[in-house]
Each structure stands twice: as C-alpha cells, then as structure tokens.
Amino acid sequence: MKKTKRLLIVIAVLLVVFAFLPQILHFFTDYLWFSEVGYQSVYLKFTFAKFAIGAVVFLGVFALSYGTLTISTKYQRPEVFADENGVINVPNPKNLKHKLVLIPSIILGLWAGFVSATSLWENILLFLHQSAAGVTEPVFGRDIGFYLFSFSLAKNFYTLALLFLIVIAVSNLILTIYLQGVRKNALKIMGKRIVYFAAMFFLLLLIGFGLRAADLLYSTNGAAYGAGYVDLKVTLPMYYLAAAVSLLSAITIVLGAKKQRLKLALAGPVLLLAVLLVGNGAAVVVQNFVVRPAEISQEQPYIQRNIDLTNEAYGLNHITEVEFGGQGQLSIDDLQEEIETINNIRITDYRPSLQIFNQLQSMRLYYQFHDVAIDRYQINGRSQQVFISARELDQSKLQENAKTWINRYLKYTHGYGAVVTPVNRITSQGQPELWVKDIPPTTNVPELTITRPEIYFGQMTNDYVIVNTKEKEFDYPIDDTNAESSYQGTAGINMTIGNKLLFSLDRTNYKILFSNLIDSNSRILLYRNVNERAQKIAPFLTYDNEPYLVIDNGRLVWMLDAYTTSDKYPYATAVDNPESLFYGQNYVSNAVKITIDAYNGDIDFYIVDEDDPIIQSYAKVFPGLFQPINAMPTNLRAHIKYPTALFEVQTEMYQTYHMKNPSVFYNREDLWSIAKEIVEDSTETMEPYYVNMCLPNSNKQEYLLMRPFTPYQKDNMVAWLAAQNDGEHYGELVLFKFPKQSLIYGPMQIENRINNDSEISQNLTLWDQQGSSVIRGDLLVIPIKDSILYVEPIYLSSSDRNSLPEVIRIIVGYQDQIIMEKTLEEALYKIFANQPSANQSGNMISVDDTLSYQMLVQQIKDSLANAKNSSQAGNWADYGVYLKQLEDLINRLDDGRLNELPITETENNNNL
C-alpha cells in the first residue's frame, strides 16, 4: 500500500513537472537573455515579486480554506455503511480530510496565488516605492500619488479579497450539503457557517465603502468629470454612514447568531439597506430639485477642478499662449529673412514615399520598407528635414521552396541599409531625391554615411535567428550572385551543448540540437523586434507604435518612445478615442526614450520626464534600469522628437480644455475642433506634422510639431499648437491664437478654394481620368512672420499596380491667392514677385539659395522683359533697377549658386 502511494506521488510530481515544463524552460531561456542584455536584476526582481506575492496569497487562502473546510467536516452525517459481508464501516476522517479539505484548499490556494501574482505584483512594488506627485486633490487633501499607487492597490486587493471570500464560502456550503444532505440539521449547520462568512463580508464592505468614497473623484454624474455637488453633499456622507453601519452589521450578525435572535442579526443589514435606499433617493431629489435648476452655479467649483486637473494630467497646464495676427503682408524680403523655413517646407508626403521606396529600392521581393519616419539632420551646418526608412528583410516574402529551416534561421538573418530623402526636394520626374540609396547604401552627403548597414533588430524581425554558424549569412544581392558574411557583433547567447538542448526544447525544434551547422561559436539572437525587446524588459510601460531609425556616426539606431499611464488621476477626464494608444487612461506622460542598436541590439532606457511620479517610482523599484536623459549620447539626443501619439491626445483634450472659465466650459461657448484636410480623395482630421521653422517673434530655427484648430463645426482657423523638440526647450508647448474678429483661412477652406479654382480643378479633373488618379498630399500650414502659407503637393499615379506616384504640381495658398505650379519656387515667385519690397537694389525675387535652374532662367527672362518694357516707356529709373536685377541673376547663375545641398547626377544632367 505504501509503495502504491509513493508511486502515485512520484507520478503526480512528474505530471506537474511535465505540465509546467514549458514555463520552466522559458524561465531559464529568458534568464539567459536578460543576462545577455544586462538586465538580469530586473528579471529576477519582478520574477521574485510575483513568486513572493503568489506564495503569500497561496498560504493565506490555503489556511483560510483549510481551516473552514476542516470545521465543516466535523458536521458529517452519523451514518455507517455495511459491506457485502455485513462488516460495519465508519468513514475515515483522515481520508475525508484529504479528499474534501486538503485537495480543494490546495486548488483554491494555487488559483488565488496565481491570480494575485499576475495582477498585484506591479501595484505592490509601486506602493512600496511610491513617489509623491507634488499635486494635491481638493476633496480629501491627499497627494495625487496616493491615487496612482495606494488606491489602485487597495481596489485590486479589495476585489480579489471579496472574490476569494465568496469562493471559500460557497466551497464550505457545498461541503456541508455533501456531508449532511438537505435536511433540517444541515440547514442549521449551514446557518452557522453563513454567519461568520456574512460577518467577514460586511467587514469587507466597510473597506469597500471607504474605497467608493475615494472613487467619487472619478464620478461621471455631475456636469463635469469628477466629484460634483451631489457626490460630495449627499453621496459621500452616505458612504461614510454606510461604512459605519457595515461594521455594526458585522457585530449584530454575530451577536444575533449567538443569542439566536434573528431580529438582532438582521438589524444591521436592514439598517444598511435603508441608508443606501434613502441616500440614493436623496441624491436623485437633490440632483433634480437643487442642482438642475441652477446647475452652473452649483457645479461651478467642481467644473473648475475638472478643468485644472485634466490640464495637469495631460501636461497642458504649462502651455504658453501667444497672440498671432495671421494677416501680415509678406514680401520677398520677408521670405529671404525666413529662408531656413522656406528651405524646409515639405513638398512630399510619407504615404506615396513609402510606395515609391518599396517600388524603387526594395531590390528583391524579400526586402520591405515597413514605414517612413521624418527627422532632421545637420547637413552642411543647416538643419534639414528628411524622410528615412529601413530596408528590412521580410522572410514571409521568400519563395515557398526557399522557406527552409536553414534559410529562415541561419541564412536570411537581417535587413540591409536605409533610404533617406529630403522632404523639400524632388527630381525632374517628380520622384523623391534619394540622398541615401541602393545596396550597399551610397550617399553624397557625409553626415548620412552608413558604415554598419545590417539590421538584425528592427520592426519586422519577429523571430529568432542563429548567427556565426557554418552557414554563411545572406548579406545582399550582387547581379546573379549574393554577398555573404558572418555576424561580427556582440549580441546573442552562446550555443553551448547545454544551451542547444535548452533552446531545442524551448523552441520545440530538434534541429537546433542536432544541426552540424551550429557549433560553440554560434549565437542565438532573441526578441529582435524592437517593440517586443523593450516590452520584454519593461512590460509596465506603454510603447509607441512608431519607432524611428537614426543614422548615428555610421551606425543604425532605433529610437522608441515609452509612456507611463494611469486611469486614477482625480478629476481628470479619460481618453475616449477607441483608436488612441491611451484609450481609457486619464494620465499620460512620455516619460522614457529608448535607443536600440540595429546591429548589436544594445538597449538603453532614458528618463525624459523627471517630474513624472510613476517613472520615478519604477526607477526606485528597478535601480539601474533607467538613466537620466543627459546620459544619452549628444548626437542621439539631437534626434529625440516630441511624439505624435502624445501630441494627438493633448490636442484632442485641448479642443475642450482650453476653456478655463467654468461658465464658458459648461456652455461649450468656445469649443474647438482639430482642423480637417483632404488626403487623397477623403476628408480627414489633420495629423500632427513636424516643421523646421522659426517661431513668430524669434529668429532661431526650431524643430516643431504642429496641429491647427478651428472653431467647432467651422472651418476657419482659430489657433495652432506647437511642441518644441530641441535642446533645453524640448517638450515646451506654445499656443498661437488668432484674433477672433479676423478671418484666417483654415486648411479645409483652402482645400475648398482649390476645388473651386476653375483652372486648378479643371487640371485635377483632367489628370484624374481613367487609368490615372490624383493623390492630394498633406496640406501644411506654415506660419511665416505674422502671416500664413499653405502648401500641398499633388501626386499623379497610374492605376497600374507597379506605378510610381509622381509629384506633378505644388499648390501654394496665401491670403486670397491659390497658385499651382510645377515647383514650390515657381509658385512663390508667382505670388510674391510683384509684392512691394523694401529692398530697392532690385533683389525682388531672391527667394532662397536653392532655386532650381528652370526657376532662375524664368526669373532672368522676366527681368529682361521688364527692362525692355521700361526702356520702351522711357522709365529709365525702373530700367536701371531691372538691369541691376538681371545682372545679379546672371552672376548668380555664373557662380553656380543653384543649390547649397547636393544635386543628384540625374537632376544635374536634366538641368543641363
């Protein structure tokens, strides 16, 4: 018998080990990976925290369940059983305890421990290391940090405690019925069990009403988000009273049961029910007869709290507001002064650019450009906006017969290089001018030289690979053959015999263990997707969906934004856009910037928002995980950008929460909308866009993220918000407001004027015939001095699947003028050539130093014609001005000052 028991125990242990074998193997492989990337202490910290929390909860629930179930087994039916031989058998209490007490208690404990470990570990660690927010909520006078950390933990703990109590109570009742049957004695025993569980339930309710009182700060019952008049004047006192009555109920239930007096036992619960009924009824009465007749006066202080704390939660409380006229008169001289802004006006769109990159630069079917990012680089000492896209290897595009294990995991291991184009330049064919192109990547711009083009870590590297094997890795195609190489980096886990066995089991692939191509010099690269790589190390952060590539001294480095979020910021309105990354949250901070080397996979986390209490708490929990932003290399720090995901949420909130006056807010008197535009052939809300420009009243060029506003359900522009990206001003928000008495055209009004312009619309209709289609790019609103320029590229694309969209025209809007020309320079010249100029030397048309050859020739022709007309009219003063102008233009042509930036060989040949 003992041998049988031992055998059963061994079998049970083996079954448990076998059941949890995948998790055990994964634990060890993950530990090896965390050690490789240098964050093993982080892994051990949250692994130990989960285990410790799970163990404590397991012991607590097991003890409670075991104790109560053991008591229940004492009340079994006094029955005996006779076997076929007439021998009387009495149930064995020990066997009964094992079957009906021990096993259920273990199961309940394991379940409770698992649920707690997975849901509470983060809350508990933050609670133990919480940082103050430095902002106090106005109802209870607590620091906001209490709600971000303590309150969140308390609510989760309360929910789980209530759940565990109910499960244990039901288990006890089931056991009692099983042992006693459904009869009078059983009901009496069940009643005793229920008494104690009911008392514990009411004690938990006491805590619950305390939590519900704090939860009023997130109420949606008032005129604005957060606790309103009824919540604080009626509901809050009701919760306090209900909490006291809950304690009374626990006492009366126990006393009533002991004295067998039902009325005494029910006195507390009945009183609690009465408190809740009267309190909720009073709330309805006060809302309808006190608040509603004078809602604005009653709710005004609470609306103000919602306004203030919502702005605080989304970082909108420090916006600098500036009045911006928007109706200033621009001249050629003004454009010349703002030449850096003019030079960086974007005339290409990222959507067609991505299509063009995949058509022209993918080279092979298995190369793919996943997306296009915009960034700025210092080129020849000037800030230049560019589009940049990584050429990644998409293994799913390999031919079916080529999708072998060796090809997928040993040979086709990495992407190669990137494409870079200036956003303000196109070729004579209307294609983006490629500053970095081809394989291996070539460039005429030294600042964009790539010396380590291999991309082992990217956005499409979604599986592991093994490098430094006896199988050479595919590098890039050369004519009819391929260049091959071996990995020279530092990433990866050495494939020792033990590790080969471990990963073979973990990845359920025997080839890892038995392949003769893998030796001790080989290394396995895990978690190569940059988002997955960051999330594996810090799963408690929210990650941006758009990492972007940076060329850093010849190397390729990914930059990724991460956020801390919460739904527990008092009085702050939550994000209600289901498509937002932060849906349901009411606090967002872009707290962390992450860099990931595309070759070695080195990953670093930098704190960029030192005022964020959540990231400061995580920094205490995981010392060594985060570095200060000043520790980021200077050349990389020059490429950090204010993220569009955060800016989208901020501008969406600011549509309403720019109204600081509670009365104006309540009546929605000054509600804004985000401006709309036509993209391709549909009307869409404008996305935030980056521009290189000088802020009004500043002569310093900055990299800005912008988004314009219009009044609600109107199209004229009322303001625009800008986020600064450079240096010590990073993250500062500036709102430029237009005078309410002035009409400033909004983007949609410009779009409508384009549609209504007979010449432009006729051409667009003509081009948009069968076999081709017109694509309207982003309409950019560009503030210049005290005025506004509007710029929109027009693409033409064939219906052919392999066609390349071409920029065929640039539309420029200024005040009442809408001009469509082949180039931006021609459009600006047509608008401003005849504008008054303070410069009497004849330099009327010196728009910038990057004029195209064709534009310069056109200006020479115009100056010559003006000189002839002046001489024929006998106007010798004007003749002298135009002659001097002609001389300057010819000298400029002779000096070769057509472009300060590199000219491609193709464009140069076309110009000639």
Side-chain angles (χ1 to χ4, degrees), residues 606-629:
Y606 300 94
I607 294 178
V608 70
D609 185 358
E610 296 180 351
D611 296 327
D612 174 34
I614 298 179
I615 200 60
Q616 292 301 330
S617 300
Y618 278 123
K620 294 177 184 177
V621 173
F622 302 107
L625 173 58
F626 300 103
Q627 304 176 56
I629 190 63

PDB file of all heavy atoms in Angstrom, residues 606-629:
ATOM      1  N   TYR A 606      16.048  55.863 -21.045  1.00  0.00           N
ATOM      2  CA  TYR A 606      16.396  57.176 -20.509  1.00  0.00           C
ATOM      3  C   TYR A 606      15.138  57.891 -20.027  1.00  0.00           C
ATOM      4  O   TYR A 606      14.139  57.957 -20.746  1.00  0.00           O
ATOM      5  CB  TYR A 606      17.078  58.029 -21.579  1.00  0.00           C
ATOM      6  CG  TYR A 606      18.347  57.440 -22.133  1.00  0.00           C
ATOM      7  CD1 TYR A 606      18.330  56.665 -23.292  1.00  0.00           C
ATOM      8  CD2 TYR A 606      19.574  57.646 -21.503  1.00  0.00           C
ATOM      9  CE1 TYR A 606      19.493  56.117 -23.810  1.00  0.00           C
ATOM     10  CE2 TYR A 606      20.746  57.108 -22.014  1.00  0.00           C
ATOM     11  CZ  TYR A 606      20.701  56.337 -23.167  1.00  0.00           C
ATOM     12  OH  TYR A 606      21.854  55.795 -23.670  1.00  0.00           O
ATOM     13  N   ILE A 607      15.199  58.424 -18.812  1.00  0.00           N
ATOM     14  CA  ILE A 607      14.071  59.181 -18.269  1.00  0.00           C
ATOM     15  C   ILE A 607      14.113  60.601 -18.822  1.00  0.00           C
ATOM     16  O   ILE A 607      15.085  61.331 -18.609  1.00  0.00           O
ATOM     17  CB  ILE A 607      14.108  59.215 -16.730  1.00  0.00           C
ATOM     18  CG1 ILE A 607      13.902  57.804 -16.172  1.00  0.00           C
ATOM     19  CG2 ILE A 607      13.039  60.161 -16.193  1.00  0.00           C
ATOM     20  CD1 ILE A 607      13.976  57.728 -14.661  1.00  0.00           C
ATOM     21  N   VAL A 608      13.038  60.987 -19.520  1.00  0.00           N
ATOM     22  CA  VAL A 608      12.990  62.319 -20.106  1.00  0.00           C
ATOM     23  C   VAL A 608      12.044  63.234 -19.331  1.00  0.00           C
ATOM     24  O   VAL A 608      12.128  64.459 -19.438  1.00  0.00           O
ATOM     25  CB  VAL A 608      12.578  62.236 -21.593  1.00  0.00           C
ATOM     26  CG1 VAL A 608      11.122  61.844 -21.745  1.00  0.00           C
ATOM     27  CG2 VAL A 608      12.858  63.542 -22.323  1.00  0.00           C
ATOM     28  N   ASP A 609      11.129  62.657 -18.549  1.00  0.00           N
ATOM     29  CA  ASP A 609      10.214  63.451 -17.731  1.00  0.00           C
ATOM     30  C   ASP A 609      10.512  63.165 -16.261  1.00  0.00           C
ATOM     31  O   ASP A 609       9.958  62.244 -15.665  1.00  0.00           O
ATOM     32  CB  ASP A 609       8.765  63.106 -18.059  1.00  0.00           C
ATOM     33  CG  ASP A 609       7.769  63.990 -17.309  1.00  0.00           C
ATOM     34  OD1 ASP A 609       8.224  64.840 -16.513  1.00  0.00           O
ATOM     35  OD2 ASP A 609       6.555  63.823 -17.503  1.00  0.00           O
ATOM     36  N   GLU A 610      11.367  63.977 -15.683  1.00  0.00           N
ATOM     37  CA  GLU A 610      11.780  63.747 -14.301  1.00  0.00           C
ATOM     38  C   GLU A 610      10.694  64.102 -13.293  1.00  0.00           C
ATOM     39  O   GLU A 610      10.801  63.745 -12.118  1.00  0.00           O
ATOM     40  CB  GLU A 610      13.049  64.555 -14.010  1.00  0.00           C
ATOM     41  CG  GLU A 610      14.245  64.111 -14.845  1.00  0.00           C
ATOM     42  CD  GLU A 610      15.494  64.916 -14.538  1.00  0.00           C
ATOM     43  OE1 GLU A 610      15.368  65.926 -13.811  1.00  0.00           O
ATOM     44  OE2 GLU A 610      16.580  64.539 -15.024  1.00  0.00           O
ATOM     45  N   ASP A 611       9.640  64.794 -13.722  1.00  0.00           N
ATOM     46  CA  ASP A 611       8.563  65.172 -12.812  1.00  0.00           C
ATOM     47  C   ASP A 611       7.466  64.114 -12.733  1.00  0.00           C
ATOM     48  O   ASP A 611       6.530  64.264 -11.951  1.00  0.00           O
ATOM     49  CB  ASP A 611       7.942  66.504 -13.249  1.00  0.00           C
ATOM     50  CG  ASP A 611       8.938  67.655 -13.161  1.00  0.00           C
ATOM     51  OD1 ASP A 611       9.791  67.622 -12.253  1.00  0.00           O
ATOM     52  OD2 ASP A 611       8.872  68.562 -14.015  1.00  0.00           O
ATOM     53  N   ASP A 612       7.585  63.081 -13.542  1.00  0.00           N
ATOM     54  CA  ASP A 612       6.556  62.044 -13.550  1.00  0.00           C
ATOM     55  C   ASP A 612       6.721  61.131 -12.336  1.00  0.00           C
ATOM     56  O   ASP A 612       7.736  60.445 -12.211  1.00  0.00           O
ATOM     57  CB  ASP A 612       6.663  61.227 -14.840  1.00  0.00           C
ATOM     58  CG  ASP A 612       5.715  60.038 -14.849  1.00  0.00           C
ATOM     59  OD1 ASP A 612       4.622  60.158 -14.288  1.00  0.00           O
ATOM     60  OD2 ASP A 612       6.091  58.985 -15.386  1.00  0.00           O
ATOM     61  N   PRO A 613       5.741  61.082 -11.416  1.00  0.00           N
ATOM     62  CA  PRO A 613       5.894  60.260 -10.206  1.00  0.00           C
ATOM     63  C   PRO A 613       5.914  58.765 -10.500  1.00  0.00           C
ATOM     64  O   PRO A 613       6.523  57.995  -9.752  1.00  0.00           O
ATOM     65  CB  PRO A 613       4.669  60.643  -9.370  1.00  0.00           C
ATOM     66  CG  PRO A 613       3.669  61.138 -10.355  1.00  0.00           C
ATOM     67  CD  PRO A 613       4.455  61.808 -11.438  1.00  0.00           C
ATOM     68  N   ILE A 614       5.252  58.352 -11.572  1.00  0.00           N
ATOM     69  CA  ILE A 614       5.198  56.915 -11.870  1.00  0.00           C
ATOM     70  C   ILE A 614       6.561  56.404 -12.301  1.00  0.00           C
ATOM     71  O   ILE A 614       7.042  55.370 -11.806  1.00  0.00           O
ATOM     72  CB  ILE A 614       4.135  56.628 -12.945  1.00  0.00           C
ATOM     73  CG1 ILE A 614       2.753  57.030 -12.442  1.00  0.00           C
ATOM     74  CG2 ILE A 614       4.143  55.149 -13.325  1.00  0.00           C
ATOM     75  CD1 ILE A 614       1.633  56.803 -13.440  1.00  0.00           C
ATOM     76  N   ILE A 615       7.233  57.121 -13.203  1.00  0.00           N
ATOM     77  CA  ILE A 615       8.541  56.639 -13.661  1.00  0.00           C
ATOM     78  C   ILE A 615       9.570  56.759 -12.540  1.00  0.00           C
ATOM     79  O   ILE A 615      10.492  55.923 -12.437  1.00  0.00           O
ATOM     80  CB  ILE A 615       9.006  57.394 -14.925  1.00  0.00           C
ATOM     81  CG1 ILE A 615      10.070  56.567 -15.660  1.00  0.00           C
ATOM     82  CG2 ILE A 615       9.539  58.771 -14.598  1.00  0.00           C
ATOM     83  CD1 ILE A 615       9.604  55.213 -16.111  1.00  0.00           C
ATOM     84  N   GLN A 616       9.420  57.752 -11.666  1.00  0.00           N
ATOM     85  CA  GLN A 616      10.336  57.859 -10.536  1.00  0.00           C
ATOM     86  C   GLN A 616      10.144  56.681  -9.576  1.00  0.00           C
ATOM     87  O   GLN A 616      11.118  56.186  -8.991  1.00  0.00           O
ATOM     88  CB  GLN A 616      10.114  59.188  -9.801  1.00  0.00           C
ATOM     89  CG  GLN A 616      10.516  60.416 -10.597  1.00  0.00           C
ATOM     90  CD  GLN A 616      11.985  60.406 -11.008  1.00  0.00           C
ATOM     91  OE1 GLN A 616      12.841  59.839 -10.324  1.00  0.00           O
ATOM     92  NE2 GLN A 616      12.282  61.038 -12.132  1.00  0.00           N
ATOM     93  N   SER A 617       8.918  56.217  -9.436  1.00  0.00           N
ATOM     94  CA  SER A 617       8.657  55.051  -8.590  1.00  0.00           C
ATOM     95  C   SER A 617       9.238  53.796  -9.213  1.00  0.00           C
ATOM     96  O   SER A 617       9.843  52.961  -8.525  1.00  0.00           O
ATOM     97  CB  SER A 617       7.151  54.890  -8.375  1.00  0.00           C
ATOM     98  OG  SER A 617       6.605  56.029  -7.738  1.00  0.00           O
ATOM     99  N   TYR A 618       9.074  53.643 -10.526  1.00  0.00           N
ATOM    100  CA  TYR A 618       9.660  52.484 -11.200  1.00  0.00           C
ATOM    101  C   TYR A 618      11.181  52.508 -11.114  1.00  0.00           C
ATOM    102  O   TYR A 618      11.832  51.463 -11.021  1.00  0.00           O
ATOM    103  CB  TYR A 618       9.229  52.445 -12.667  1.00  0.00           C
ATOM    104  CG  TYR A 618       7.866  51.837 -12.892  1.00  0.00           C
ATOM    105  CD1 TYR A 618       6.863  52.549 -13.545  1.00  0.00           C
ATOM    106  CD2 TYR A 618       7.572  50.548 -12.448  1.00  0.00           C
ATOM    107  CE1 TYR A 618       5.605  51.999 -13.760  1.00  0.00           C
ATOM    108  CE2 TYR A 618       6.316  49.993 -12.656  1.00  0.00           C
ATOM    109  CZ  TYR A 618       5.340  50.723 -13.306  1.00  0.00           C
ATOM    110  OH  TYR A 618       4.107  50.168 -13.502  1.00  0.00           O
ATOM    111  N   ALA A 619      11.753  53.700 -11.172  1.00  0.00           N
ATOM    112  CA  ALA A 619      13.205  53.817 -11.045  1.00  0.00           C
ATOM    113  C   ALA A 619      13.676  53.339  -9.673  1.00  0.00           C
ATOM    114  O   ALA A 619      14.775  52.787  -9.541  1.00  0.00           O
ATOM    115  CB  ALA A 619      13.645  55.257 -11.287  1.00  0.00           C
ATOM    116  N   LYS A 620      12.857  53.543  -8.632  1.00  0.00           N
ATOM    117  CA  LYS A 620      13.185  53.020  -7.305  1.00  0.00           C
ATOM    118  C   LYS A 620      13.011  51.511  -7.244  1.00  0.00           C
ATOM    119  O   LYS A 620      13.795  50.809  -6.596  1.00  0.00           O
ATOM    120  CB  LYS A 620      12.289  53.678  -6.253  1.00  0.00           C
ATOM    121  CG  LYS A 620      12.506  55.171  -6.072  1.00  0.00           C
ATOM    122  CD  LYS A 620      11.510  55.729  -5.055  1.00  0.00           C
ATOM    123  CE  LYS A 620      11.618  57.231  -4.917  1.00  0.00           C
ATOM    124  NZ  LYS A 620      10.595  57.771  -3.976  1.00  0.00           N
ATOM    125  N   VAL A 621      11.991  51.009  -7.919  1.00  0.00           N
ATOM    126  CA  VAL A 621      11.738  49.563  -7.933  1.00  0.00           C
ATOM    127  C   VAL A 621      12.865  48.833  -8.649  1.00  0.00           C
ATOM    128  O   VAL A 621      13.336  47.783  -8.187  1.00  0.00           O
ATOM    129  CB  VAL A 621      10.390  49.264  -8.618  1.00  0.00           C
ATOM    130  CG1 VAL A 621      10.210  47.750  -8.789  1.00  0.00           C
ATOM    131  CG2 VAL A 621       9.243  49.839  -7.810  1.00  0.00           C
ATOM    132  N   PHE A 622      13.313  49.388  -9.788  1.00  0.00           N
ATOM    133  CA  PHE A 622      14.336  48.735 -10.613  1.00  0.00           C
ATOM    134  C   PHE A 622      15.559  49.644 -10.747  1.00  0.00           C
ATOM    135  O   PHE A 622      15.767  50.273 -11.790  1.00  0.00           O
ATOM    136  CB  PHE A 622      13.778  48.413 -11.997  1.00  0.00           C
ATOM    137  CG  PHE A 622      12.561  47.529 -11.984  1.00  0.00           C
ATOM    138  CD1 PHE A 622      11.306  48.051 -12.279  1.00  0.00           C
ATOM    139  CD2 PHE A 622      12.655  46.188 -11.662  1.00  0.00           C
ATOM    140  CE1 PHE A 622      10.181  47.259 -12.264  1.00  0.00           C
ATOM    141  CE2 PHE A 622      11.526  45.379 -11.643  1.00  0.00           C
ATOM    142  CZ  PHE A 622      10.289  45.909 -11.941  1.00  0.00           C
ATOM    143  N   PRO A 623      16.361  49.750  -9.717  1.00  0.00           N
ATOM    144  CA  PRO A 623      17.564  50.595  -9.806  1.00  0.00           C
ATOM    145  C   PRO A 623      18.502  50.069 -10.892  1.00  0.00           C
ATOM    146  O   PRO A 623      18.741  48.875 -11.002  1.00  0.00           O
ATOM    147  CB  PRO A 623      18.181  50.472  -8.410  1.00  0.00           C
ATOM    148  CG  PRO A 623      17.606  49.232  -7.827  1.00  0.00           C
ATOM    149  CD  PRO A 623      16.250  49.068  -8.406  1.00  0.00           C
ATOM    150  N   GLY A 624      19.003  50.982 -11.704  1.00  0.00           N
ATOM    151  CA  GLY A 624      19.909  50.595 -12.782  1.00  0.00           C
ATOM    152  C   GLY A 624      19.227  50.401 -14.114  1.00  0.00           C
ATOM    153  O   GLY A 624      19.905  50.333 -15.148  1.00  0.00           O
ATOM    154  N   LEU A 625      17.894  50.339 -14.126  1.00  0.00           N
ATOM    155  CA  LEU A 625      17.191  50.166 -15.399  1.00  0.00           C
ATOM    156  C   LEU A 625      17.179  51.458 -16.202  1.00  0.00           C
ATOM    157  O   LEU A 625      17.400  51.449 -17.413  1.00  0.00           O
ATOM    158  CB  LEU A 625      15.762  49.686 -15.145  1.00  0.00           C
ATOM    159  CG  LEU A 625      14.823  49.615 -16.364  1.00  0.00           C
ATOM    160  CD1 LEU A 625      15.407  48.708 -17.440  1.00  0.00           C
ATOM    161  CD2 LEU A 625      13.436  49.139 -15.942  1.00  0.00           C
ATOM    162  N   PHE A 626      16.948  52.574 -15.527  1.00  0.00           N
ATOM    163  CA  PHE A 626      16.805  53.852 -16.216  1.00  0.00           C
ATOM    164  C   PHE A 626      18.019  54.747 -15.990  1.00  0.00           C
ATOM    165  O   PHE A 626      18.628  54.730 -14.930  1.00  0.00           O
ATOM    166  CB  PHE A 626      15.547  54.574 -15.726  1.00  0.00           C
ATOM    167  CG  PHE A 626      14.277  53.812 -15.949  1.00  0.00           C
ATOM    168  CD1 PHE A 626      13.663  53.148 -14.887  1.00  0.00           C
ATOM    169  CD2 PHE A 626      13.705  53.727 -17.203  1.00  0.00           C
ATOM    170  CE1 PHE A 626      12.497  52.439 -15.079  1.00  0.00           C
ATOM    171  CE2 PHE A 626      12.533  53.020 -17.409  1.00  0.00           C
ATOM    172  CZ  PHE A 626      11.928  52.373 -16.347  1.00  0.00           C
ATOM    173  N   GLN A 627      18.321  55.523 -17.030  1.00  0.00           N
ATOM    174  CA  GLN A 627      19.377  56.523 -16.952  1.00  0.00           C
ATOM    175  C   GLN A 627      18.752  57.908 -17.171  1.00  0.00           C
ATOM    176  O   GLN A 627      17.707  58.027 -17.808  1.00  0.00           O
ATOM    177  CB  GLN A 627      20.429  56.276 -18.032  1.00  0.00           C
ATOM    178  CG  GLN A 627      21.053  54.895 -18.011  1.00  0.00           C
ATOM    179  CD  GLN A 627      22.013  54.703 -19.170  1.00  0.00           C
ATOM    180  OE1 GLN A 627      22.967  55.475 -19.349  1.00  0.00           O
ATOM    181  NE2 GLN A 627      21.774  53.681 -19.977  1.00  0.00           N
ATOM    182  N   PRO A 628      19.406  58.959 -16.675  1.00  0.00           N
ATOM    183  CA  PRO A 628      18.908  60.307 -16.970  1.00  0.00           C
ATOM    184  C   PRO A 628      19.109  60.634 -18.440  1.00  0.00           C
ATOM    185  O   PRO A 628      20.018  60.102 -19.092  1.00  0.00           O
ATOM    186  CB  PRO A 628      19.757  61.204 -16.063  1.00  0.00           C
ATOM    187  CG  PRO A 628      21.000  60.420 -15.796  1.00  0.00           C
ATOM    188  CD  PRO A 628      20.585  58.973 -15.785  1.00  0.00           C
ATOM    189  N   ILE A 629      18.288  61.508 -18.971  1.00  0.00           N
ATOM    190  CA  ILE A 629      18.356  61.832 -20.396  1.00  0.00           C
ATOM    191  C   ILE A 629      19.707  62.440 -20.759  1.00  0.00           C
ATOM    192  O   ILE A 629      20.176  62.299 -21.896  1.00  0.00           O
ATOM    193  CB  ILE A 629      17.206  62.779 -20.794  1.00  0.00           C
ATOM    194  CG1 ILE A 629      17.125  62.927 -22.307  1.00  0.00           C
ATOM    195  CG2 ILE A 629      17.342  64.115 -20.103  1.00  0.00           C
ATOM    196  CD1 ILE A 629      16.819  61.656 -23.044  1.00  0.00           C
TER     197      ILE A 629
END
